[in-house]
Amino acid sequence: MRSIRKWCVKNQLPIYRDSSGEFVNEKEFELAYNLPIILRLKNQFGDYWQDYYELYLNGKLHEAITLKPPTSKKNISYTPKGKLTAKIFGESRK
């Protein structure tokens, strides 16, 4: 019980008490338990983390191989003027 209570405190999971004893909310526990995975997926896949998390929850993580987030095209309109910057950035960044 001490280890469980310590884990709950560390993960900021509230422990509720009533006449039957101590307990935690199931959904709050699931969030606290999966939070490291969610944060890693957000860091790795950005706005598309939910697609990967859905596969994880359904036990279909192997399908993530075929799931590719669309790549964003950045509009770079900088054209180097000097010789040094042209060498560093290339002749044209358009």
Side-chain angles (χ1 to χ4, degrees):
M1 287 299 288
R2 188 174 25 173
S3 297
I4 295 168
R5 197 174 285 115
K6 196 174 181 180
W7 186 90
C8 290
V9 169
K10 178 183 171 192
N11 290 285
Q12 300 174 347
L13 182 63
I15 301 171
Y16 302 102
R17 291 178 182 89
D18 66 4
S19 59
S20 65
E22 296 180 332
F23 62 95
V24 295
N25 181 285
E26 180 182 2
K27 296 300 178 186
E28 289 176 343
F29 170 78
E30 288 175 5
L31 176 62
Y33 184 77
N34 289 322
L35 191 59
I37 296 166
I38 292 169
L39 293 176
R40 182 177 56 81
L41 291 174
K42 280 182 130 180
N43 187 33
Q44 191 173 0
F45 300 109
D47 294 337
Y48 305 99
W49 71 271
Q50 290 175 323
D51 298 333
Y52 291 89
Y53 185 61
E54 186 81 26
L55 291 174
Y56 169 78
L57 290 178
N58 293 326
K60 298 178 180 179
L61 205 51
H62 61 280
E63 293 180 15
I65 296 170
T66 60
L67 187 64
K68 294 181 182 176
T71 56
S72 62
K73 294 181 181 178
K74 294 182 180 178
N75 186 9
I76 300 172
S77 60
Y78 172 72
T79 305
K81 304 275 189 246
K83 291 180 184 178
L84 180 60
T85 53
K87 214 181 232 188
I88 294 170
F89 293 109
E91 291 302 320
S92 177
R93 297 263 309 194
K94 289 184 180 176

